[in-house]
Amino acid sequence: MFLVGAGPGDPALLTVRAVECLSRADVVLHDKLVARRILELIRPEARRISVEELPGEHPTRWPHIVRLLLEEARHGRIVVRLKGGDPTIFGRGFEEAQALRDAGIAYELVPGVTAALAASAYAEIPLTHRSVSSALAIVTGHDDVVDSEQPLDWQVLARFPGTLIIYMGMRRLPQIVQTLLEQGMPPRTPTAVVQWASTTRQQTLTADLFDLPRRAAERGFGSPSIIVIGPSVRCRPEVSWFEKRPLLGCRVVVTRPAHQGQAMVRSLEELGATVACLPAVAIAEPSSWTPVDQAIDRLAEYQWLVFTSVNGVNYFLERLWRRGYDLRHLGALRLAAIGPATAEALQRWYLRADVVPTRFDSEGLATALSPRVAGTKVLLARADRGRDLLQHELARIASVDQIAVYSQFDTPHLDPLVLDALQKGEVDWLTFTSSNIARSILGRLGDDARRHVHAGRIRIATISPTTSQAVQQMGLPVAVEAVEATTAGLIAALVAQARPMSTQLAESGGGKIDEDPARQQADDINGQK
Ligand code: SAH
């Protein structure tokens, strides 16, 4: 049984131990505020329960929480009680631990980054500072000043010589400020409110104490927020390192296959985006291995082996291995890769690509190969669907065999939550890394979502001209297209769009707005070049 802190929201602030616990748990009982991206770390087979699903309301729900924890633990299951921030800071973690202790159940307490620490780091307000604050007080603004079991001494707090942090204080902000002023805190004391600290919705407000309730109300600040009071607020730069992230607050949908999307998701998140995944195609073994096996057995007949995707590399070489061969079987074969990611996949097998084109698509590869393959035998290892351009081009000058080393199919279901967000226009960018993916998703997109795309509320970003063409053939406009046909190029294009036009025009290597529908070229065969 583990009582685990989930941190303030940013999944990167989970502890290593928290990640271990989540990936092992049979049952996870979590607070309402825990971020979706954190819940994704739970094994799909595990039972996942939000405390809201239990009977009662806070605080009458608490006995039900404890009962469930005890019940699951007694069945010998690995149970994780996942709480926002740190489990013991205004989180009843110690009370839950005591209940477990009383019931004779072993447990471990896993601390988490509490909201105050996140607000401090992500909004750049020091909690202590050698020259302005040598003490820190963390208090709750929730309990009624008069009725609480443990009433706070606001008279003392008003004279607190350091940084005062208030949790759960937004509902009663006017009364809290009033009380502090009445108790003698100077009206010009610097204050800040950090809402949704460490998440892509983070917002920070600074004001003098007397003005704080009015300013917070004007700007619509509410819960969950951390209130910071004290001179250290003055040390904050105008915009924090986190608030400078170029995609902060942008809602981006990544449509790459689940097993390939993670690096792109992390890059976007580190740039500040809120990312949702909508995998639309999946891959599997080819419908028949026979043609692949035959080609592998006769590999010595070929001079060139050409890969158009990372998956192609991995499926082909895995099959070669399983058939009893190893890398020596490739002999003097020359290797070509459609782009840097495919070349990297070869490198992971300790193979070097002899040819990588400068333009990462079928046309680029055909151009790079044409002068070299004349009169040779070429084996093309690829997906079972995609364009035949490469084969056609090379077949003019060489003998080309094409084999499907994996199959690609549309996933039967798209995540209803992400589809719903698209329907409601609650997405800023829909990204496509291949034309197959674009066709698969756009073919299943609801009418409202299509209207949002036409109106420019949801914007489509693509990896290459060919993918743009697929989008346009589905009747939708492309807002931005990557200059370099890689996921890094696509991300650079989004970042360029997020900045003011003036900086954008001065830069190269970012995105360009697609104004020229005639500029339509090749398709990647399945996305990752
Ligand atoms: N155990 C939690 C606190 C639970 S009390 C922790 O250690 O952080 C709930 C309060 O925490 C909220 O009312 C708010 O004051 C604060 N809080 C939680 N997450 C926050 C966030 N991301 N940004 C700002 N405040 C947050």
Side-chain angles (χ1 to χ4, degrees):
M1 171 84 215
F2 299 89
L3 296 169
V4 179
D10 183 346
L13 294 183
L14 281 171
T15 61
V16 174
R17 188 60 173 156
V19 175
E20 279 174 5
C21 292
L22 288 177
S23 56
R24 265 191 235 161
D26 300 313
V27 184
V28 178
L29 180 60
H30 64 85
D31 280 357
K32 187 177 85 173
L33 272 187
V34 175
R36 182 182 48 81
R37 291 274 293 131
I38 291 176
L39 299 178
E40 282 172 11
L41 296 169
I42 302 169
R43 292 182 304 132
E45 316 79 90
R47 193 170 159 213
R48 190 195 289 191
I49 313 155
S50 168
V51 291
E52 283 180 300
E53 295 167 33
L54 300 180
E57 293 276 333
H58 175 79
T60 57
R61 186 181 281 142
W62 198 70
H64 297 283
I65 293 177
V66 173
R67 193 171 316 127
L68 184 82
L69 292 178
L70 295 180
E71 206 176 280
E72 293 291 339
R74 284 195 180 116
H75 277 96
R77 301 196 182 108
I78 302 178
V79 185
V80 168
R81 170 74 175 107
L82 188 64
K83 297 161 88 76
D86 179 85
T88 68
I89 303 244
F90 305 129
R92 302 184 82 158
F94 278 109
E95 289 163 71
E96 288 174 22
Q98 163 127 36
L100 295 167
R101 216 159 46 231
D102 292 347
I105 288 167
Y107 59 86
E108 179 178 321
L109 268 168
V110 182
V113 174
T114 189
L117 297 186
S120 164
Y122 281 54
E124 287 198 65
I125 303 170
L127 297 180
T128 68
H129 189 291
R130 224 150 39 96
S131 46
V132 292
S133 168
S134 306
L136 170 66
I138 288 183
V139 307
T140 165
H142 187 264
D143 288 346
D144 192 273
V145 184
V146 185
D147 295 340
S148 170
E149 291 167 30
Q150 289 286 325
L152 287 164
D153 188 338
W154 289 94
Q155 198 178 1
V156 170
L157 292 176
R159 280 184 281 116
F160 183 71
T163 310
L164 184 59
I165 297 282
I166 305 176
Y167 282 61
M168 296 178 278
M170 291 312 280
R171 205 170 40 82
R172 299 185 54 253
L173 186 61
Q175 292 97 303
I176 290 170
V177 168
Q178 186 61 33
T179 310
L180 286 171
L181 290 171
E182 280 166 14
Q183 298 298 334
M185 188 178 261
R188 296 246 169 238
T189 307
T191 70
V193 178
V194 187
Q195 185 168 21
W196 288 112
S198 88
T199 75
T200 52
R201 300 155 77 181
Q202 174 173 317
Q203 287 204 68
T204 306
L205 160 84
T206 52
D208 288 340
L209 177 67
F210 75 93
D211 214 12
L212 182 64
R214 184 183 65 84
R215 298 280 306 284
E218 258 171 28
R219 291 197 37 201
F221 274 64
S223 190
S225 288
I226 285 294
I227 303 164
V228 189
I229 301 176
S232 67
V233 170
R234 283 209 193 93
C235 301
R236 170 179 149 83
E238 207 170 308
V239 184
S240 75
W241 64 267
F242 180 70
E243 291 154 355
K244 272 190 202 138
R245 287 186 164 181
L247 297 180
L248 194 68
C250 283
R251 298 158 301 180
V252 181
V253 173
V254 167
T255 56
R256 303 203 71 186
H259 72 290
Q260 285 182 327
Q262 282 317 303
M264 182 172 174
V265 170
R266 276 311 289 150
S267 303
L268 287 165
E269 284 179 342
E270 282 179 6
L271 291 164
T274 308
V275 184
C277 296
L278 189 64
V281 302
I283 56 165
E285 294 196 346
S287 52
S288 161
W289 280 115
T290 312
V292 180
D293 290 344
Q294 283 170 353
I296 289 176
D297 290 342
R298 291 186 286 107
L299 211 51
E301 293 173 17
Y302 296 95
Q303 284 80 48
W304 281 91
L305 176 55
V306 178
F307 293 104
T308 51
S309 70
V310 171
N311 293 320
V313 168
N314 293 332
Y315 271 91
F316 180 86
L317 290 169
E318 190 64 43
R319 188 66 186 174
L320 180 140
W321 172 262
R322 282 182 189 221
R323 218 165 149 71
Y325 301 108
D326 61 28
L327 289 185
R328 291 170 299 174
H329 188 59
L330 298 178
L333 261 180
R334 314 276 287 159
L335 303 175
I338 197 167
T342 306
E344 250 169 57
L346 281 170
Q347 201 184 329
R348 283 194 289 275
W349 291 85
Y350 292 103
L351 290 168
R352 233 180 268 281
D354 299 294
V355 169
V356 183
T358 45
R359 212 183 96 182
F360 314 138
D361 55 19
S362 298
E363 281 80 353
L365 189 53
T367 309
L369 282 174
S370 291
R372 307 180 198 219
V373 299
T376 67
K377 236 181 131 176
V378 178
L379 182 61
L380 210 60
R382 46 164 289 177
D384 63 346
R385 66 179 186 185
R387 295 160 74 219
D388 291 325
L389 182 132
L390 190 58
Q391 187 188 24
H392 285 154
E393 288 296 312
L394 297 182
R396 297 171 201 232
I397 49 169
S399 151
V400 183
D401 290 335
Q402 179 164 286
I403 47 168
V405 296
Y406 65 99
S407 66
Q408 197 192 52
F409 58 94
D410 289 359
T411 52
H413 303 291
L414 293 178
D415 185 335
L417 286 178
V418 183
L419 280 181
D420 189 49
L422 285 162
Q423 280 290 83
K424 290 183 181 146
E426 292 168 355
V427 164
D428 300 302
W429 289 101
L430 182 54
T431 62
F432 291 120
T433 49
S434 92
S435 21
N436 284 338
I437 295 174
R439 276 189 287 267
S440 173
I441 288 186
L442 297 179
R444 294 185 264 178
L445 206 61
D447 286 343
D448 285 350
R450 294 181 71 88
R451 270 193 283 277
H452 292 309
V453 175
H454 280 296
R457 275 186 291 278
I458 299 175
R459 293 192 284 172
I460 292 181
T462 76
I463 198 165
S464 70
T466 317
T467 308
S468 295
Q469 189 178 24
V471 172
Q472 285 150 354
Q473 278 163 356
M474 302 296 286
L476 288 169
V478 172
V480 64
E481 180 185 289
V483 171
E484 187 196 76
T486 59
T487 50
L490 180 54
I491 292 169
L494 293 189
V495 170
Q497 285 293 297
R499 298 212 204 113
M501 276 310 244
S502 51
T503 26
Q504 212 187 99
L505 292 174
E507 275 179 17
S508 59
K512 55 191 174 187
I513 296 177
D514 186 15
E515 290 159 342
D516 177 9
R519 193 174 39 80
Q520 279 154 14
Q521 298 151 22
D523 192 4
D524 50 296
I525 284 169
N526 58 22
Q528 194 169 11
K529 314 286 174 81

